[in-house]
Amino acid sequence: MTIQLWLFSFKGRIGRRDFWIWIGVWIAGLAILFTLAGAKIMPYSTAGFFLSGSLIPTAAVIVKRLHDRNKKGWWALLFIPAWLLLAGNWDVFGSVAQWGLGRFIPTLILVMMIMDLGAFVGTQGENRFGKDTSEVKYR
């Protein structure tokens, strides 16, 4: 698999190694961007622009990893309510709702998704999403 297919195609399957490589690169890149923005070397809007631009490759990697687990790519949409619940202002609710809705449910979703994508072995052999995984050719 080429780098272009790895980052911009929603078809096919990738293994855990290629999933973690992208997640590591993505998190390191975002950490550098927002560190530069925090140090006032670049505006936060520029860092946000690069974050928005990196969402498509991240979604493609997640969908292909879900395909390797023999799950539909639509499961990746669970990250959206988790993100929205974490970003919500839960101060208007009591402490139980604030903790449950604002912290526990999104954390549970994120932990389960990361475990499913990053820890569990994919389907061996061919599944409904294609042939067995092929490693990304980084050259």
Side-chain angles (χ1 to χ4, degrees):
M1 176 179 295
T2 64
I3 291 178
Q4 290 83 6
L5 289 174
W6 178 45
L7 296 177
F8 298 106
S9 171
F10 288 84
K11 294 181 189 221
R13 298 166 52 183
I14 61 168
R16 290 178 293 181
R17 181 184 74 101
D18 294 325
F19 169 76
W20 282 117
I21 287 172
W22 172 251
I23 295 300
V25 167
W26 185 61
I27 289 174
L30 291 181
I32 290 168
L33 279 173
F34 283 99
T35 300
L36 292 173
K40 308 230 185 273
I41 296 173
M42 82 168 53
Y44 276 104
S45 59
T46 303
F49 176 77
F50 283 110
L51 169 66
S52 299
S54 70
L55 291 179
I56 295 294
T58 304
V61 167
I62 289 171
V63 166
K64 283 195 286 287
R65 181 67 190 128
L66 283 166
H67 287 175
D68 189 44
R69 297 274 302 132
N70 205 20
K71 296 180 179 181
K72 291 186 177 184
W74 292 106
W75 282 102
L77 293 178
L78 280 175
F79 283 109
I80 294 172
W83 184 287
L84 291 174
L85 286 171
L86 279 173
N89 181 7
W90 300 102
D91 293 337
V92 296
F93 295 106
S95 62
V96 173
Q98 183 179 8
W99 178 81
L101 288 174
R103 300 294 177 259
F104 179 72
I105 292 173
T107 302
L108 181 68
I109 292 170
L110 291 172
V111 167
M112 294 304 295
M113 288 294 287
I114 293 299
M115 281 178 49
D116 191 33
L117 296 170
F120 297 142
V121 177
T123 307
Q124 299 298 321
E126 191 170 331
N127 69 12
R128 62 184 168 160
F129 297 105
K131 297 180 179 172
D132 205 0
T133 61
S134 60
E135 292 188 6
V136 177
K137 296 178 181 98
Y138 297 106
R139 295 181 188 187

